[in-house]
Amino acid sequence: MKKLILFSGLLSLLFGCNSADKSASKSELQLNITDTIKTLPLPIGVGHFNHAFQSVEDQYLLFFDYKSFQVLIYSKADGSLIKTIQLEQEGPNGIGKFVAGFFAKSLDEIYLTAGTNTLFKIDGNGKILQKIQMDTGDLEKDGVSLFSNIFTIANDGIYFAAFPLVFEWTSLSPEELTKIPNLLKFDSLAGSFTPVSYFPEEFVGNNLNKAIFPILSLGPDQEPVINLNFRNLYQVKNGEVQAHSAAHSEFPEEPTTSSMSNMFEDMNEIMKMINNVDIYTDLFYLPEQELLVRVAKFEDIPESTADATFLASQWGLVFLDTDYKKVGEITLEPNQYNGQYIFGTNEGIWISTDHPENPVLVGTWDGEYMHDIEVYNNKIYG
């Protein structure tokens, strides 16, 4: 059995009492790395990268391995593997051969998208509780594509990311893109979709030669948050979309755009712009620390942009409080971290150090490594 090892680190919260100081984003957190270890066992046949990952019920970590069709459930407290759920591809509980998206509301309420816009609800044993074939005909008439692999279950329903119904989105004008929704609410009873948010003008700008994919997360109140590759996050609160500044100071103010007049003329250029330039990736809410952590992946262009195993060398983290106010950031040492896996415990914040260039791993590639950033104070005082 392989091992997934987590090292710990220390995050000291140092705040000034002057309210004016609290707007100075970088000075409010000081971070120091330590070496506490937490170990998660990996079953044979489960790889290291690109799993769906989620912290559930403040007690568990769930990984979904797309290759083996397994859900791995771990204890956050001690890292033990509590249970595996082997999903079936055929038969009465079969979900087919391809899973697009994964979201766990609890250990016994897991949602998957698979096949052609099909939403499955399964229990903790892999039994199908509900199967919904989503009709996207009306969306397609309006030029909208359902991004079925990106969805979340919020406090008031099911939300899906949306996208223009064109492969070459540079064929649209910026004005046309601002009229396309990037977030849809799904009514599972009526089988209908309602637009909630549209591509914002400040993000769209006047050059569409860039990554425009929306990523969805949940905020402190289990509200949807739209995470574009942009300086702002977009929180949906009481049906209204609110923009919050959440930029890393070393990232560009505007999204990186291609130097080509049309990036779709070159597939390598498309892949580079989607995967390898400066990109904001995930957003995690850590209830133990009452912090949001936004992940920034720095530009790192591989020899082959088609290399699915390539992992960027450097990552940064942006820290926000529950009011979406930036309270700090860190740029992590290169070739030591994997920003895909981050979670919190009462001990601190943990981030994977499972990187193929990590000097700790070189010559001993038999495990995955994680690094912990420990938080002393869980609340902000001033």
Side-chain angles (χ1 to χ4, degrees):
M1 180 173 285
K2 297 178 181 178
K3 295 290 184 182
L4 188 153
I5 303 175
L6 297 86
F7 295 102
S8 76
L10 179 64
L11 170 61
S12 296
L13 297 181
L14 300 180
F15 300 96
C17 291
N18 188 326
S19 61
D21 293 338
K22 292 190 176 182
S23 64
S25 60
K26 290 189 66 175
S27 64
E28 297 191 28
L29 298 182
Q30 294 184 0
L31 301 103
N32 304 288
I33 305 300
T34 65
D35 294 316
T36 307
I37 296 175
K38 190 184 290 285
T39 305
L40 280 70
L42 275 176
I44 293 174
V46 175
H48 293 265
F49 304 117
N50 301 319
H51 307 303
F53 170 74
Q54 196 177 340
S55 177
V56 176
E57 298 179 3
D58 299 337
Q59 300 180 55
Y60 308 102
L61 302 174
L62 271 66
F63 292 80
F64 176 67
D65 180 36
Y66 290 92
K67 182 178 179 181
S68 67
F69 260 49
Q70 292 183 87
V71 180
L72 312 178
I73 302 173
Y74 293 90
S75 165
K76 286 177 69 172
D78 61 16
S80 61
L81 180 60
I82 298 172
K83 182 180 182 180
T84 62
I85 305 171
Q86 180 64 61
L87 302 185
E88 299 179 17
Q89 297 185 15
E90 300 177 349
N93 290 305
I95 59 174
K97 296 181 179 180
F98 173 74
V99 170
F102 173 92
F103 183 88
K105 191 171 183 180
S106 70
L107 295 191
D108 211 41
E109 188 176 351
I110 298 171
Y111 295 82
L112 304 158
T113 50
T116 306
N117 295 325
T118 305
L119 178 66
F120 291 91
K121 177 182 176 181
I122 65 172
D123 66 13
N125 296 311
K127 179 182 178 181
I128 294 177
L129 302 176
Q130 190 176 13
K131 178 181 178 181
I132 302 172
Q133 184 65 52
M134 295 178 289
D135 185 354
T136 60
D138 288 342
L139 293 177
E140 293 167 7
K141 290 178 184 178
D142 293 332
V144 178
S145 176
L146 181 71
F147 220 178
S148 63
N149 59 318
I150 298 180
F151 71 98
T152 191
I153 314 296
N155 54 10
D156 63 346
I158 305 173
Y159 289 83
F160 282 89
F163 202 71
L165 190 64
V166 291
F167 170 69
E168 188 175 332
W169 58 79
T170 53
S171 64
L172 301 173
S173 69
E175 182 181 4
E176 286 173 324
L177 183 58
T178 61
K179 296 178 181 178
I180 299 291
N182 58 16
L183 181 67
L184 302 168
K185 187 176 181 180
F186 178 59
D187 185 332
S188 59
L189 295 178
S192 60
F193 294 91
T194 302
V196 176
S197 170
Y198 293 79
F199 285 93
E201 291 183 5
E202 66 265 26
F203 165 73
V204 172
N206 56 17
N207 187 347
L208 300 186
N209 284 287
K210 58 191 174 190
I212 66 171
F213 298 109
I215 300 173
L216 301 184
S217 301
L218 292 177
D221 295 322
Q222 297 295 291
E223 75 278 16
V225 182
I226 306 160
N227 187 11
L228 295 164
N229 186 29
F230 190 53
R231 60 181 181 267
N232 292 341
L233 290 171
Y234 296 90
Q235 173 198 21
V236 180
K237 185 175 182 179
N238 300 323
E240 300 292 329
V241 180
Q242 301 179 6
H244 302 282
S245 178
H248 194 286
S249 64
E250 296 180 39
F251 258 41
E253 183 75 5
E254 302 294 334
T256 302
T257 55
S258 173
S259 60
M260 299 181 63
S261 60
N262 184 2
M263 67 183 194
F264 285 91
E265 295 176 357
D266 185 330
M267 183 56 68
N268 285 330
E269 184 72 5
I270 298 172
M271 299 304 293
K272 181 185 81 172
M273 297 308 302
I274 292 174
N275 296 316
N276 304 128
V277 297
D278 290 328
I279 293 175
Y280 292 107
T281 58
D282 295 289
L283 178 71
F284 301 94
Y285 176 61
L286 312 181
E288 295 87 354
Q289 287 74 36
E290 296 184 339
L291 288 173
L292 289 148
V293 182
R294 191 184 196 191
V295 181
K297 184 175 69 171
F298 285 85
E299 179 174 304
D300 194 358
I301 301 172
E303 293 183 5
S304 171
T305 57
D307 184 359
T309 65
F310 178 78
L311 189 66
S313 61
Q314 192 161 36
W315 304 76
L317 305 177
V318 179
F319 298 89
L320 311 169
D321 66 17
T322 55
D323 293 322
Y324 290 82
K325 302 297 184 183
K326 182 178 175 182
V327 295
E329 66 175 43
I330 186 173
T331 301
L332 298 167
E333 291 295 321
N335 297 323
Q336 295 187 32
Y337 299 91
N338 178 357
Q340 296 172 331
Y341 310 135
I342 296 175
F343 64 93
T345 66
N346 291 329
E347 302 164 282
I349 301 173
W350 303 78
I351 176 171
S352 169
T353 58
D354 180 28
H355 193 287
E357 300 299 324
N358 190 327
V360 176
L361 294 174
V362 174
T364 59
W365 185 247
D366 62 354
E368 294 196 15
Y369 290 72
M370 283 199 170
H371 207 293
D372 168 59
I373 303 174
E374 186 172 308
V375 178
Y376 269 130
N377 298 322
N378 293 334
K379 295 184 179 180
I380 296 174
Y381 299 94

